[in-house]
Amino acid sequence: MKSPQLLQSFGKGEKIEHRIKNKNAIIYTRVSSKEQTENMSLDVQLKGCQLFASKNQFTIKGVFGGTYESAQSDERKEFQRMVAFAKNSKEHISTIIVYSLERFSRTGENAIWLSRQLRELGITIVSVSQPIDTSNPSGVLQQNILFLFSQYDNDLRRQKCIDGMREKLMRGEWVGTVPTGYSYDHSAIQAGGKNEQRIVINEKGKFVRKIFEMKAFDQLSNTDICKTINKMGMSLTMQRLCDILRNPFYCGNLSHSILNGQVVKGKHPAIISEEVFLLANNVIQSTKRNSSGYVQGKLKDETPLKRFVLCGECGTPLTSYLVKSKNLWYYKCNKIGCKCNRSAKVLNEKFEEVLNYYSFDEKMVAPVSEFITDMYFKRSEQSIDEITNIKTKITELEKDILTVEERYALGKISEEIYDRTVERMREEKAKLEKGLSESFLNLSNPYKTISETAKKLANLRDRWVSEDIHGKLNLQKLCFPEGIFYDRKIEHYRTQVINPGIKVISSISRRLEKKIADKSIAYLDLSASVVPTGIEPVSKV
């Protein structure tokens, strides 16, 4: 044996001559929708591919596809199975036969990349209706151009679909699945025989109305609302509850991602009024009667802590009452057996003490603002990439949700798949948005924001005292989002949740004030993490 033949065993790379020389092929057929399947399009493709294989003496080793899959993504199950078979088959597949290149993929650049990977394995893509010789650079260029035109055509269709959906929304008509509490009524027919969209309130609508009433008028927490609604017979998760409360669809308006932030008046019936919707979302406050006839008691200047202060023993929100003979107001726990009952004047004064603990002198506004701003920019250098990544993920999810909505509107996916997919994506998006909103770095003008916040927190007690009843309520909720407990045993307040910004600014102001008073060094190396874990004990009066 000659030495050159012996040296062949030391060659590198996969030998692909066997793929190029053989005539083993597989067929891939695909349509985009169920309607195309029913119109025999798959049969036409298959017969065309089989006839092409017969004329060119290809041996068919497998047929893939035969179903409807969108070519907008190469994550198709049947498509992936076909590609894996072509790459790994012991039959040494040399050719993938498709009726047209757009049946193979509409992903443009990704399709070009995949076709190149296959060619390196000795596998070529052959189109029955677009015969191109890809054994030379000119043929490869022609095929790549057709892939790009397929993507361009797909993008045009997508844009037309979005424009059509937007136009429909601007007319007040909904697109996609209707929210919980509504159903489509397909029996409505316009004059002339054209179908007219008609949305009606179904049995779940009464639960939706109850959700808004509990939030707007009873001021219940989301956890309590979920428990109540589930006991009433409707399955409700915390995420779905938040989606319902934030959806203006229920007050007769349309909000959609393709409307670019615009809210449009819808043609569907409203379950609640716009006022109730705004009340439930804390946009406005009112004492008007709700739809069930329950009249919320008039807010009294003497009892601003009503339903805000919680009983320290049972957690029940305290109500208020007037002793007419003495003309004195009292707070009281209405739970049977609980004897928590205290003068409104006393509890108001003790709440002032709590606010006074977090207050600081106005002369400290400037040094506090400068210190926190400096700390902000130091942390920004470390975390800016994280914020950018979160925003990128949110943008990608919005695009994915829009794509799913388009596919559902075009009938490419079922309602069950649409609901499951969109709900998962929206839950993931909500988590990312929550993390972004709570980020310390999510400020457009850091110094201005920090300075204005510091001014509001300076003399916090005096500000609360000078506010009207609505201002007091807003300030209370800002400081203690989940309320504050009154402990009858110690005759003072206990807190579990306090606004973290207030804790940080209050802690820093006290430390700076002490340093200034002690005439300490000019540079203060304080850490933002060194803040109180909760409200410090307030001395009894």
Side-chain angles (χ1 to χ4, degrees):
M1 184 179 290
K2 296 181 180 181
S3 58
Q5 294 175 327
L6 294 174
L7 291 173
Q8 293 299 315
S9 61
F10 294 92
K12 295 182 178 180
E14 182 185 3
K15 295 181 180 181
I16 61 174
E17 292 83 358
H18 59 278
R19 290 185 184 270
I20 297 175
K21 292 179 181 179
N22 72 43
K23 302 288 283 186
N24 293 336
I26 57 176
I27 293 174
Y28 177 68
T29 60
R30 179 196 64 81
V31 292
S32 300
S33 65
K34 185 177 181 181
E35 289 73 16
Q36 288 178 310
T37 305
E38 296 171 350
N39 290 335
M40 307 299 287
S41 177
L42 287 171
D43 290 340
V44 173
Q45 292 181 46
L46 181 59
K47 289 179 180 178
C49 292
Q50 289 173 336
L51 181 61
F52 177 87
S54 177
K55 286 183 178 180
N56 292 275
Q57 300 180 341
F58 282 105
T59 302
I60 303 302
K61 295 297 183 179
V63 177
F64 297 84
T67 184
Y68 55 97
E69 294 181 317
S70 172
Q72 297 178 24
S73 169
D74 290 334
E75 299 300 322
R76 298 164 271 160
K77 290 183 179 180
E78 191 67 8
F79 179 84
Q80 291 286 357
R81 193 169 74 89
M82 178 268 296
V83 172
F85 181 86
K87 289 181 177 180
N88 306 319
S89 175
K90 295 180 180 180
E91 301 289 346
H92 305 307
I93 303 302
S94 66
T95 308
I96 299 174
I97 302 174
V98 295
Y99 190 77
S100 65
L101 290 178
E102 66 177 14
R103 297 300 95 193
F104 179 78
S105 178
R106 283 177 173 266
T107 57
E109 294 178 354
N110 193 58
I112 293 173
W113 175 85
L114 181 58
S115 64
R116 184 178 71 250
Q117 298 297 312
L118 291 172
R119 281 198 304 275
E120 290 177 356
L121 295 174
I123 305 172
T124 59
I125 304 166
V126 176
S127 169
V128 173
S129 60
Q130 301 153 319
I132 299 173
D133 181 8
T134 57
S135 62
N136 58 79
S138 177
V140 172
L141 174 62
Q142 291 180 55
Q143 188 179 77
N144 290 346
I145 290 174
L146 289 176
F147 278 135
L148 291 174
F149 269 107
S150 294
Q151 182 183 21
Y152 172 69
D153 178 64
N154 201 67
D155 290 342
L156 283 180
R157 294 185 183 186
R158 180 175 180 271
Q159 187 59 51
K160 289 179 181 179
C161 178
I162 292 176
D163 291 341
M165 293 169 64
R166 185 181 293 111
E167 182 65 27
K168 191 173 183 179
L169 288 166
M170 293 300 293
R171 295 198 305 265
E173 299 178 12
W174 185 242
V175 293
T177 304
V178 289
T180 302
Y182 289 95
S183 301
Y184 282 114
D185 181 2
H186 300 289
S187 62
I189 303 295
Q190 280 185 344
K194 293 183 179 180
N195 289 331
E196 178 187 64
Q197 183 188 84
R198 186 183 176 200
I199 298 174
V200 296
I201 301 173
N202 59 28
E203 285 297 315
K204 290 185 177 180
K206 62 182 180 182
F207 294 108
V208 173
R209 182 187 296 275
K210 185 64 177 176
I211 287 171
F212 278 96
E213 289 176 350
M214 287 190 290
K215 192 67 177 179
F217 298 105
D218 298 332
Q219 299 180 0
L220 296 183
S221 67
N222 289 356
T223 301
D224 290 338
I225 293 175
C226 274
K227 290 179 180 179
T228 302
I229 293 299
N230 284 320
K231 288 180 181 179
M232 294 174 65
M234 174 183 167
S235 179
L236 183 67
T237 64
M238 187 68 73
Q239 180 60 45
R240 180 58 63 89
L241 171 62
C242 294
D243 290 341
I244 289 174
L245 291 172
R246 296 290 299 171
N247 193 348
F249 193 95
Y250 295 107
C251 64
N253 294 275
L254 303 181
S255 176
H256 198 283
S257 57
I258 64 176
L259 287 176
N260 301 320
Q262 186 177 1
V263 176
V264 178
K265 191 68 176 178
K267 294 181 179 179
H268 62 282
I271 292 179
I272 57 168
S273 67
E274 292 182 358
E275 182 180 18
V276 172
F277 177 81
L278 296 175
L279 279 169
N281 285 278
N282 294 318
V283 178
I284 63 172
Q285 292 185 351
S286 174
T287 59
K288 291 187 177 181
R289 182 167 59 91
N290 67 15
S291 58
S292 297
Y294 172 80
V295 180
Q296 185 183 20
K298 183 179 179 181
L299 298 174
K300 299 291 185 181
D301 292 332
E302 296 85 356
T303 56
L305 302 176
K306 176 183 176 182
R307 301 192 66 84
F308 173 76
V309 173
L310 310 175
C311 176
E313 295 184 10
C314 64
T316 303
L318 301 187
T319 59
S320 63
Y321 67 94
L322 173 66
V323 178
K324 294 183 179 179
S325 60
K326 300 179 181 179
N327 194 31
L328 295 176
W329 285 92
Y330 286 82
Y331 293 110
K332 178 185 178 183
C333 176
N334 282 334
K335 185 174 181 179
I336 298 176
C338 187
K339 299 180 180 179
C340 185
N341 190 9
R342 201 70 170 91
S343 164
K345 183 176 183 297
V346 172
L347 289 196
N348 291 347
E349 290 175 350
K350 291 184 180 296
F351 186 71
E352 291 176 22
E353 293 178 22
V354 175
L355 294 179
N356 194 55
Y357 173 79
Y358 290 102
S359 300
F360 57 90
D361 196 279
E362 287 186 0
K363 68 181 181 181
M364 296 301 299
V365 169
V368 167
S369 301
E370 291 175 3
F371 178 81
I372 296 178
T373 303
D374 181 61
M375 181 177 63
Y376 170 88
F377 284 111
K378 286 182 179 178
R379 185 176 294 186
S380 296
E381 296 174 359
Q382 303 172 359
S383 305
I384 192 67
D385 289 340
E386 179 183 347
I387 299 299
T388 302
N389 290 336
I390 293 177
K391 291 182 178 179
T392 300
K393 290 179 181 179
I394 291 175
T395 301
E396 291 174 352
L397 277 172
E398 289 175 343
K399 291 180 180 179
D400 291 342
I401 291 172
L402 181 59
T403 300
V404 174
E405 289 175 343
E406 292 170 8
R407 296 191 65 195
Y408 174 73
L410 294 172
K412 293 181 179 179
I413 59 175
S414 66
E415 181 176 349
E416 180 182 356
I417 294 176
Y418 169 81
D419 288 340
R420 185 170 64 250
T421 305
V422 170
E423 182 175 2
R424 175 181 58 79
M425 289 179 175
R426 286 176 176 168
E427 287 178 357
E428 185 177 352
K429 180 187 173 187
K431 290 179 182 178
L432 291 172
E433 289 176 336
K434 182 180 180 182
L436 187 62
S437 65
E438 294 175 351
S439 170
F440 182 74
L441 306 178
N442 193 27
L443 300 175
S444 58
N445 189 336
Y447 184 78
K448 180 180 179 182
T449 303
I450 293 170
S451 179
E452 290 179 351
T453 303
K455 288 179 181 178
K456 291 179 180 179
L457 296 182
N459 298 322
L460 192 59
R461 171 194 171 278
D462 294 340
R463 184 183 168 203
W464 183 79
V465 171
S466 63
E467 290 279 6
D468 60 16
I469 182 62
H470 296 291
K472 283 184 172 66
L473 294 176
N474 290 331
L475 189 58
Q476 291 164 196
K477 190 169 184 179
L478 172 67
C479 296
F480 308 102
E482 297 184 10
I484 186 170
F485 288 89
Y486 174 68
D487 192 328
R488 202 159 45 107
K489 295 178 181 178
I490 64 172
E491 291 191 7
H492 227 297
Y493 291 107
R494 292 184 289 106
T495 63
Q496 290 183 327
V497 179
I498 182 172
N499 187 315
I502 292 176
K503 289 203 303 186
V504 170
I505 292 177
S506 176
S507 174
I508 291 175
S509 66
R510 287 198 299 272
R511 292 167 185 265
L512 286 175
E513 194 167 10
K514 185 176 184 302
K515 290 288 186 181
I516 292 174
D518 294 343
K519 296 182 180 180
S520 185
I521 57 176
Y523 179 75
L524 302 175
D525 186 16
L526 297 177
S527 171
S529 62
V530 185
V531 296
T533 57
I535 187 170
E536 297 184 12
V538 182
S539 59
K540 290 176 59 176
V541 179

